[in-house]
Amino acid sequence: MHFNLSEEQIMVRDAAREFAQTELLPGVIERDELQQFSDNLVKKMGALGFMGIMVDPKYGGSGMDTMSYVLIMEELSKVDASASVMVSVNNSLVCYGLEQYGTEEQKEKYLPKLASGEWIGAFCLSEPEAGSDATSQSTTAIDKGDHYIINGTKNWITNGGRSQVYLVIAQTDRDKGHKGINAFIVERGTSGFEIGPKENKLGIRGSDTHTLQFNDVKIPKENRIGEDGFGFKFAMKTLSGGRIGIAAQALGIAAGAYELSLKYSKERKAFGKEINKHQAIAFKLAEMATDIEAARLLVYKAALDKDLGNNYDTSSAMAKLYASKVAMQHSVEAVQIHGGNGFVKDYHVERFMRDAKITQIYEGTSEIQKIVISRAVLKD
Ligand code: CAA
């Protein structure tokens, strides 16, 4: 296992960096403040191949590896974590879930549009009473022969108001517990499917998060993903890959906050010299650089595990647990290094601090990652 990037991976990382600087940076403060989701940016990211990074070119994707995916995620997140979460959910939960476990018809129908940025997708697992405890699904999908009827509520759904394709997890047979859960494709506009209020969030405010309501939503049987009862495993397997994306997002937030702090420390003077000439600041930068490098190695390791066909349940949980901790800790330090300027929006680091928090919550809280990791280490 080595971390030497190929020429192609370096090219794609540089393209993502360029895109982040030229397209995401202008307007990022306003999008955050006004909670603006940008369809235009999604289209541009689609044109660059960022919405279907790992999707097979035969379904309109970029056919890149997971390593390229995390490189792109890091670069986008260094500037705009709201944009990168759309990319992460679309790529690793929706496209990957469909490509890996969908039927040929489902792949042909949905992947080209999702991979091009024409459409965007959402992953609907969380409920008012089923966040971490994901097997306790209240949403039901009753089997009616050639179709299912879905009823229930989903909460905190990323891309919730803007998607055309929703992967919905629901209970079909309560007696079977998690083996009675299924995953379904619900298209926007299906009768009875309503998009509820948009959440007013602490961070990633430029992303679109909604409650969704399903009232007697009739969907054809061919919209089920996988065998009957596969839904919970579908969610778990898909989320393992999703956690690599969010770990890369957290890494990018930390790295973005660090890069701005380093730059600021060379410009800002106090007591007659640049602030990085004071050990108090130099040591903070040293710790940031070290922790970010450690997080990067864990993120790369998880991506490589996936690319090599190794099990990545544990490495993705470790990468997310650690990178999100580093993002939170060092985005706070970045504000501290910036002093009063860190507390105002123009310097960006207060946004990184607010955006960092969600990486410890979504796609499995840090406590859930510790459950996954501790079960793995205690197994032997
Ligand atoms: N791969 C395959 N199967 C898996 C699996 C995995 N990674 N993890 C668990 N399973 C299987 C188990 O083997 C078990 O199956 P069997 O009975 O056949 O052996 C079944 O799933 C149930 O597993 P557990 O007994 O371990 O279930 P549990 O109730 O103890 O829960 C959990 C496990 C890890 C805590 C899980 O509930 C979990 O991950 N919770 C967090 C959910 C989450 O991440 N939500 C995020 C929402 S999505 C989101 O945030 C997207 C967004 O918009 C950004």
Side-chain angles (χ1 to χ4, degrees):
M1 185 174 277
H2 67 79
F3 297 128
N4 297 334
L5 300 182
S6 67
E7 263 180 47
E8 196 187 12
Q9 288 165 337
I10 292 169
M11 253 170 55
V12 83
R13 182 198 61 193
D14 292 350
R17 187 173 293 171
E18 169 82 10
F19 176 79
Q21 289 301 324
T22 56
E23 299 284 351
L24 295 182
L25 188 57
V28 65
I29 294 173
E30 290 72 22
R31 290 193 301 276
D32 170 74
E33 191 153 2
L34 302 173
Q35 302 191 76
Q36 279 173 346
F37 175 97
S38 170
D39 290 309
N40 192 29
L41 284 175
V42 172
K43 299 249 175 313
K44 285 184 177 173
M45 291 193 287
L48 283 168
F50 295 168
M51 298 307 284
I53 298 166
M54 296 164 289
V55 174
D56 192 318
K58 79 175 173 183
Y59 302 117
S62 306
M64 290 188 260
D65 53 12
T66 316
M67 195 66 180
S68 303
Y69 171 51
V70 299
L71 293 170
I72 294 168
M73 278 298 296
E74 180 182 348
E75 292 305 325
L76 301 181
S77 307
K78 278 183 187 175
V79 176
D80 186 354
S82 293
S84 72
V85 72
M86 300 170 205
V87 171
S88 185
V89 168
N90 199 65
N91 274 278
S92 49
L93 299 184
V94 181
C95 288
Y96 180 80
L98 283 170
E99 185 165 14
Q100 199 65 20
Y101 304 110
T103 62
E104 195 52 39
E105 290 72 28
Q106 290 168 346
K107 293 183 213 183
E108 282 172 10
K109 184 168 180 193
Y110 298 110
L111 285 175
K113 288 188 166 129
L114 288 166
S116 67
E118 184 184 342
W119 282 4
I120 189 165
F123 184 83
C124 314
L125 172 67
S126 303
E127 297 186 351
E129 302 296 330
S132 291
D133 184 8
T135 54
S136 294
Q137 292 288 306
S138 294
T139 299
T140 54
I142 305 302
D143 190 341
K144 297 282 186 185
D146 64 343
H147 65 274
Y148 286 92
I149 299 288
I150 303 184
N151 277 290
T153 305
K154 295 289 175 182
N155 267 30
W156 313 295
I157 304 303
T158 304
N159 303 335
R162 297 298 181 129
S163 293
Q164 283 77 19
V165 181
Y166 296 79
L167 305 190
V168 180
I169 313 298
Q171 188 83 47
T172 39
D173 187 342
R174 203 161 295 288
D175 293 342
K176 291 188 183 159
H178 71 78
K179 291 191 168 72
I181 290 175
N182 275 298
F184 302 94
I185 302 165
V186 178
E187 292 184 25
R188 185 188 192 86
T190 308
S191 176
F193 171 36
E194 283 164 27
I195 294 161
K198 179 171 168 145
E199 301 292 353
N200 185 2
K201 307 189 296 285
L202 170 75
I204 54 162
R205 288 169 57 82
S207 72
D208 185 64
T209 312
H210 284 257
T211 296
L212 304 176
Q213 195 69 43
F214 300 83
N215 302 315
D216 289 333
V217 177
K218 180 178 174 183
I219 53 150
K221 202 139 214 182
E222 59 263 26
N223 281 25
R224 192 184 72 210
I225 303 173
E227 293 297 307
D228 188 22
F230 180 63
F232 190 70
K233 291 204 174 174
F234 169 81
M236 290 297 105
K237 285 170 180 281
T238 308
L239 276 166
S240 282
R243 288 166 186 166
I244 300 176
I246 299 303
Q249 181 190 43
L251 169 64
I253 293 171
Y258 165 73
E259 286 175 12
L260 288 178
S261 301
L262 188 62
K263 181 167 171 282
Y264 185 79
S265 78
K266 293 175 182 167
E267 293 162 1
R268 175 77 176 179
K269 289 195 173 131
F271 302 102
K273 54 188 178 186
E274 291 83 23
I275 59 171
N276 65 27
K277 302 271 176 357
H278 296 289
Q279 203 176 60
I281 301 298
F283 278 15
K284 281 191 201 301
L285 293 167
E287 282 198 28
M288 287 168 110
T290 307
D291 290 345
I292 289 166
E293 193 62 12
R296 187 173 285 116
L297 293 175
L298 280 175
V299 172
Y300 284 12
K301 162 80 166 55
L304 272 181
D305 274 341
K306 185 158 174 282
D307 285 337
L308 293 171
N310 301 334
N311 185 299
Y312 52 92
D313 294 336
T314 310
S315 54
S316 63
M318 286 179 171
K320 183 177 181 293
L321 174 67
Y322 189 73
S324 62
K325 185 168 78 174
V326 168
M328 195 66 250
Q329 185 183 339
H330 291 314
S331 56
V332 172
E333 282 294 50
V335 173
Q336 192 69 16
I337 290 170
H338 282 73
N341 283 328
F343 209 63
V344 296
K345 290 188 186 291
D346 296 356
Y347 285 79
H348 298 282
V349 286
E350 63 81 35
R351 189 181 71 255
F352 286 124
M353 187 179 86
R354 288 184 287 105
D355 288 350
K357 187 61 210 169
I358 192 61
T359 66
Q360 295 183 303
I361 297 173
Y362 58 20
E363 301 208 18
T365 61
S366 295
E367 291 75 13
I368 290 294
Q369 307 312 323
K370 288 180 195 174
I371 290 178
V372 173
I373 298 162
S374 60
R375 282 181 182 174
V377 298
L378 292 168
K379 202 170 66 185
D380 304 324

